[in-house]
Amino acid sequence: MDKKTVIKIKGLKKQYGSKPALNGVNLEVFKGELFAYLGPNGAGKSTTIRILTGLTKKTAGDVWLDGYHIETHPKQAKSQFGLVPQSINLDMELSVRENLDIHGRLYGLGSKHRKMRIEQVLRYVDMEEEINTLVKRLSGGMKRRIMIARALIHSPSILFLDEPTVGLDAKIRRRLWALIKKIQEQGTTIFLTTHYIEEAEFLAHRVAFLDKGSIITIDSPENLIQGVGNWALDFLEDGTLKTIYFEKRKQAKEYILTHTGSFSLRRVNLEDAFLRLTGKKMQ
Amino acid sequence: MINGFFAVYLREILILKRKIKRQILSMSISPLLYLIAFGYAMGNKVVVHGHSYIEFLIPGLVAMSSMTYSFGISSEINIARFYWQIFDEFQASPISDVAYVLGEVAAAITRAFLGIFIILFLGYIFGVHLNYLNLYFFGGILLNSFVFASIAVALAMLVKSHADQAFLSSFVITPMAFLGGTFFPVDRLPGWAQIFIKLLPITHAARVIRKSAFGEIPNLNSYLILFVLGIIFFGLAIKTVAMARD
């Protein structure tokens, strides 16, 4: 992976009235990286994406996208990214082709180029047969794929995915993961917000934990997990679910044999890392 | 800027095209009722400024409809903004605020002209043949639509919910629709009321549209007033697009 910084955030703050939403976020995302931004609901994930994409005004701080400052060079900065927002914002009354065509025009693609890119991106997301279908007739998973196709139509170097699999069943979610992985492998930098732990574990090169508008830590999923241990033992104590961590499975089994109660042994995941760092669960 | 403007305009026109039958039907209902209730029922018995009431009414309906149909773009914008969140797509794209406003205003004017052609057609069915094919007539419609389309975009950006939009329509559009010389001659009102009503853009629009439809040359000052108001509200609309970012 190239170490060129494509997303740079410095001292980013957002305040809604007297309520702080972001408290001075600093981070850098590198070219070709799949970066996951994890946190519980209300942590500030969507606010960060909305500021980065020009939908929300920041209170303080600076943001550069592929070298362009979002305030001093907004047009150039906006041309560098594609956005897949959390809610489906396609025109339901229009066809897939019409939705993509309008998007292509917004990014200044010429007629021939637009036509070619519409065919390419639809093939890419395996939706070329639906080109003339009205969006309202598509399933939830198909709409998500069309949103990804739309975000890619102008060949952006950065793709922002805000909870891209929320509300989808496990099978469709895994299919979208494969698509996201494919996009990243072809060189697009992906900034992903999610509250699905397994999504970040499966996809991300690096993960940032966000809590109450502040970044707690940034590291690879492997390093974050290793810092906790390898095995997690869940058990109930006084009606509360507790977890203790072990380096080896054997140590956990010995603990079970020497204690009474109902235990559940599993592999440590990013949720445990978040719990260890913040003292609370993510979901 | 042209690409951005055309993308915004094309989207509105494609949506309009998708529901064109319903749109024509809904645009026909009110003028048809007005023509039946005020025009046909009164027929030639009432004479206003030397014309039958139905002849007086049609240009008034044209003025009123160019206002209401162009202002109607505010509802479309709000649905796109609050319900479908399509406005975010425009905000995140590299188009200028001017291109966005221009696209929405042009779409609003197109809708207004569609509604007006329906009224003229209905008027023709009711046997009203006025002098429509002149620049004064269509210039008045264009400027009036421009003023109210620009107001519509500005208000659509300022409101925080779809309910607020309906509230504003009740206070801005409905009084103007009835008081601005659309259904009755303004000179029959008391002096103080005339002063107030002459400040409204719809009064100037109704006056020039009616005069030109009667084959007379309207007062050009009214066009100037509409043009200046249109530019002011267009500028305001551009300012409010940036304010719509939370």
Side-chain angles (χ1 to χ4, degrees), chain A residues 14 50 53-57 75 78-79 81 87 89 91-93 98 102-103 105-108 150, chain B residues 3-4 6-7 10-11 14-15 18 84-86 88-96 242-243 245-246:
Chain A
K14 177 67 186 175
R50 286 185 66 84
T53 54
L55 299 176
T56 293
K57 290 179 205 153
K75 279 190 183 176
K78 284 179 173 183
S79 298
F81 67 81
S87 54
N89 72 339
D91 260 309
M92 296 294 154
E93 296 295 328
E98 288 165 340
I102 288 168
H103 193 81
R105 286 173 193 271
L106 288 171
Y107 285 81
R150 185 182 67 176
Chain B
N3 282 317
F6 195 68
L10 181 69
R11 177 187 166 268
L14 285 171
I15 290 169
R18 213 45 106 225
W84 296 119
Q85 292 172 359
I86 287 159
D88 282 359
E89 196 200 343
F90 296 133
Q91 291 277 57
S93 71
I95 66 164
S96 65
M243 289 163 73
R245 293 181 188 101
D246 53 6

Side-chain angles (χ1 to χ4, degrees), chain B residues 42-112:
Chain B
M42 291 197 214
N44 296 326
K45 291 177 192 115
V46 178
V47 174
V48 186
H49 292 169
H51 294 270
S52 68
Y53 186 68
I54 197 164
E55 283 177 346
F56 180 84
L57 179 65
I58 295 273
L61 280 180
V62 167
M64 186 182 83
S65 301
S66 59
M67 173 181 75
T68 52
Y69 293 139
S70 57
F71 190 81
I73 199 74
S74 59
S75 297
E76 301 291 330
I77 294 171
N78 274 317
I79 291 166
R81 190 174 160 209
F82 297 119
Y83 190 62
W84 296 119
Q85 292 172 359
I86 287 159
F87 182 64
D88 282 359
E89 196 200 343
F90 296 133
Q91 291 277 57
S93 71
I95 66 164
S96 65
D97 293 347
V98 180
Y100 173 74
V101 175
L102 207 55
E104 294 291 6
V105 166
I109 293 172
T110 306
R111 286 161 57 95

Side-chain angles (χ1 to χ4, degrees), chain A residues 163-183:
Chain A
E163 306 270 4
T165 61
V166 73
L168 300 176
D169 66 40
K171 192 179 159 190
I172 296 169
R173 194 181 301 159
R174 288 198 169 268
R175 198 171 168 188
L176 273 181
W177 289 358
L179 178 61
I180 293 167
K181 200 88 178 164
K182 188 166 93 173
I183 295 165

